[in-house]
Amino acid sequence: MNVIIFGPPGAGKGTQSKFIVNKFNLFQLSTGEFLRREIKNKTDLGSKISSIVNSGSLVSDEIVSNLIEKVISKEEYKDRVIFDGYPRNLTQAKILSNLLSKYNQKIDLVLKLSVKLETIKKRISGRSVCSLCGKIYNDYFNPPPKDKDCCSSKFLQKRGDDTLEVATKRYETYEKTTEPLIDYYDNLNLLKVVNGESPINQIYDEITDIIRLIEG
Ligand SMILES: [Zn+2]
């Protein structure tokens, strides 16, 4: 099965992807990571990419397509890819579906991890780290103990407001760019929305049920 996963930054998409990859023996194709790897390995594609990036331009759809084709054309990855960070727009969604059908494959499932902006803000603004022991707390979800010397307020450090601002911008950009894609896959009856605000184990269970149902 081939899966696409969507989720706003800070929604725990990485954690969930890793879980699906391990549980169902899938291969995670994170396009950003792959571009960096091509550059590092100095492949033909890699040197092409680095000259584009160095000139300040964006990597074209064609290059990303080449990269994806390199993966999905391999027998070992057939029908077991989870796409993370791709597609980012409708053009890419159509390119992906054409590429897959060239190798007798298709997208079987589109997972959307949904988390409200308010929750992501709380995850960030409530977060603090004890400068003594390194423990991480959250005022809303996992408040620091009141009866301990270590981890008392004088040792707790918070991140600045700028982090919050950046996160809000990234969330809004994510919503704007993925909305048409979500509609597109919903119309193809491929979309499953998972509540990313549930406890992690519950999310795992929900995703497992969805995938089992599709795999039959
Ligand atoms: Zn502490």
Side-chain angles (χ1 to χ4, degrees), residues 47 62 67-68 99 110-111 113 123 126 130 157 177 186 205:
S47 56
E62 195 196 336
L67 197 74
I68 290 171
L99 272 178
V110 175
L111 277 177
L113 207 55
R123 284 182 188 169
C130 175
Q157 289 175 340
T177 50
D186 195 15
D205 289 346

Side-chain angles (χ1 to χ4, degrees), residues 129-140:
V129 183
C130 175
S131 56
L132 284 189
C133 69
K135 273 206 183 102
I136 297 167
Y137 296 100
N138 189 292
D139 298 341
Y140 303 98

Side-chain angles (χ1 to χ4, degrees), residues 130-135 137 148-152 155-156:
C130 175
S131 56
L132 284 189
C133 69
K135 273 206 183 102
Y137 296 100
K148 265 175 88 179
D149 278 344
C150 182
C151 306
S152 68
F155 299 121
L156 292 177

Side-chain angles (χ1 to χ4, degrees), residues 119-130:
T119 308
I120 287 174
K121 277 183 173 167
K122 279 182 180 170
R123 284 182 188 169
I124 296 169
S125 67
R127 189 181 190 276
S128 59
V129 183
C130 175

Side-chain angles (χ1 to χ4, degrees), residues 19-213:
F19 163 74
I20 306 171
V21 163
N22 293 333
K23 177 121 186 164
F24 296 97
N25 190 27
L26 298 180
F27 176 79
Q28 186 170 359
L29 206 171
S30 165
T31 47
E33 208 172 284
F34 262 72
L35 288 171
R36 285 190 290 277
R37 193 178 307 168
E38 292 287 320
I39 294 172
K40 201 174 146 229
N41 292 344
K42 300 199 164 75
T43 62
D44 287 348
L45 193 57
S47 56
K48 217 165 153 188
I49 297 164
S50 56
S51 64
I52 292 168
V53 172
N54 289 338
S55 75
S57 311
L58 287 172
V59 177
S60 69
D61 280 344
E62 195 196 336
I63 286 182
V64 181
S65 306
N66 287 341
L67 197 74
I68 290 171
E69 188 162 6
K70 251 176 115 170
V71 174
I72 62 166
S73 60
K74 287 197 181 117
E75 196 56 38
E76 56 185 309
Y77 300 133
K78 192 176 182 197
D79 279 322
R80 44 177 297 249
V81 176
I82 173 164
F83 294 92
D84 173 15
Y86 190 90
R88 286 191 194 277
N89 55 51
L90 284 176
T91 309
Q92 291 182 347
K94 282 163 192 163
I95 291 173
L96 180 60
S97 110
N98 288 337
L99 272 178
L100 284 168
S101 65
K102 188 173 161 189
Y103 296 94
N104 293 315
Q105 297 177 64
K106 60 180 169 47
I107 293 295
D108 300 285
L109 169 67
V110 175
L111 277 177
K112 183 195 176 192
L113 207 55
S114 102
V115 179
K116 290 193 219 85
L117 175 58
E118 280 319 302
T119 308
I120 287 174
K121 277 183 173 167
K122 279 182 180 170
R123 284 182 188 169
I124 296 169
S125 67
R127 189 181 190 276
S128 59
V129 183
C130 175
S131 56
L132 284 189
C133 69
K135 273 206 183 102
I136 297 167
Y137 296 100
N138 189 292
D139 298 341
Y140 303 98
F141 308 114
N142 174 32
K146 293 220 158 65
D147 53 352
K148 265 175 88 179
D149 278 344
C150 182
C151 306
S152 68
S153 57
K154 63 182 162 182
F155 299 121
L156 292 177
Q157 289 175 340
K158 285 208 175 203
R159 290 197 255 179
D161 283 344
D162 48 337
T163 322
L164 204 59
E165 236 169 77
V166 171
T168 305
K169 267 214 186 93
R170 288 176 68 199
Y171 185 94
E172 283 162 356
T173 308
Y174 160 82
E175 286 278 281
K176 220 183 283 164
T177 50
T178 50
E179 203 177 71
L181 283 171
I182 298 296
D183 289 344
Y184 172 76
Y185 287 116
D186 195 15
N187 284 328
L188 294 173
N189 281 325
L190 292 173
L191 181 71
K192 296 278 180 213
V193 181
V194 174
N195 182 0
E197 314 217 1
S198 311
I200 270 191
N201 286 333
Q202 204 173 312
I203 302 176
Y204 284 175
D205 289 346
E206 212 177 307
I207 293 176
T208 304
D209 288 347
I210 290 171
I211 293 181
R212 289 230 170 99
L213 207 67

